[in-house]
Amino acid sequence: MDERLSGWEDRLRRELDASVRDVRAGDGLLGAAREGGRRRLRRRRALATLPAALVVAGGAVWAGTSRSAPPPALAPAGTPSSTAVTSPVPTAPAPEASRVATEPPVLVMDAEAARDVFFDSGYVYEDAVPLGELWNVDPWEAKALGGQALQNGDELPVPR
C-alpha cells in the first residue's frame, strides 16, 4: 500500500474518533430504542402466530385444505353407501387433552407474574434455556413466555 495513503487514512481515523467521542445521546434515547425493539418483536411474533387462512388474500380458505381439492361428495339421502357420509355442517373438533406451545405466546400478563407462574409450575432455569432456544429468545424472556403459555392452559415443549 502506498505510504502517502496510509498517512491520510491514519489522520482521517483520528479525526473521526475524536468527533465521535463528542457525540452524546439524549437521556431517553436508549430506553426509546429498546422499547421500539420490543414493540417490533411483539408485532412480529403476533403475525407469526396468525393462521395461514387469515393471511391468504382473495377469499376464505378452510384450514388444512387446498383450493384445488374438490369438496367432499355427499351421497343423496336414502342411498346406501359403503363409505360414511360427511355432514355439510362442520363439527367442533374433539377437545384436546392438552396443547403443546410450540410457538411462543403473546405476552398479555405482567412479565414478572408470568415468571412466577413458570416457577410455581415446577420449571427451573435449566428448562428455560432449551425453551428460549426453541422460541429464539433469551432464557429471561422464555420464562415469561412460558408462564404465559402455562396460564393459557398450554403445556411447554420441554420436560420438567
Side-chain angles (χ1 to χ4, degrees):
M1 177 170 233
D2 190 9
E3 290 300 318
R4 290 178 296 161
L5 265 180
S6 178
W8 283 102
E9 289 175 348
D10 292 338
R11 181 177 170 197
L12 180 60
R13 187 174 295 117
R14 280 192 305 271
E15 289 179 13
L16 285 174
D17 287 342
S19 64
V20 169
R21 273 188 243 121
D22 297 334
V23 175
R24 299 288 178 242
D27 294 333
L29 182 63
L30 182 59
R34 284 184 179 152
E35 182 56 36
R38 286 186 201 111
R39 187 172 37 248
R40 285 188 298 278
L41 183 62
R42 284 192 304 265
R43 287 179 185 161
R44 192 169 58 237
R45 285 187 182 141
L47 285 174
T49 60
L50 287 176
L54 293 178
V55 179
V56 174
V61 177
W62 287 86
T65 63
S66 68
R67 294 181 128 185
S68 61
L74 296 175
T79 306
S81 174
S82 61
T83 60
V85 177
T86 59
S87 170
V89 178
T91 58
E96 298 176 5
S98 62
R99 297 182 315 244
V100 176
T102 56
E103 294 291 324
V106 177
L107 190 63
V108 294
M109 62 188 296
D110 179 51
E112 207 49 48
R115 286 185 195 94
D116 290 340
V117 170
F118 180 81
F119 286 117
D120 292 344
S121 297
Y123 290 97
V124 293
Y125 173 80
E126 285 77 18
D127 299 322
V129 172
L131 190 62
E133 290 172 359
L134 177 69
W135 289 343
N136 199 24
V137 296
D138 65 337
W140 180 252
E141 191 173 352
K143 289 183 268 186
L145 294 173
Q148 179 67 53
L150 291 168
Q151 188 71 27
N152 294 346
D154 297 339
E155 283 188 24
L156 298 182
V158 293
R160 271 189 242 198

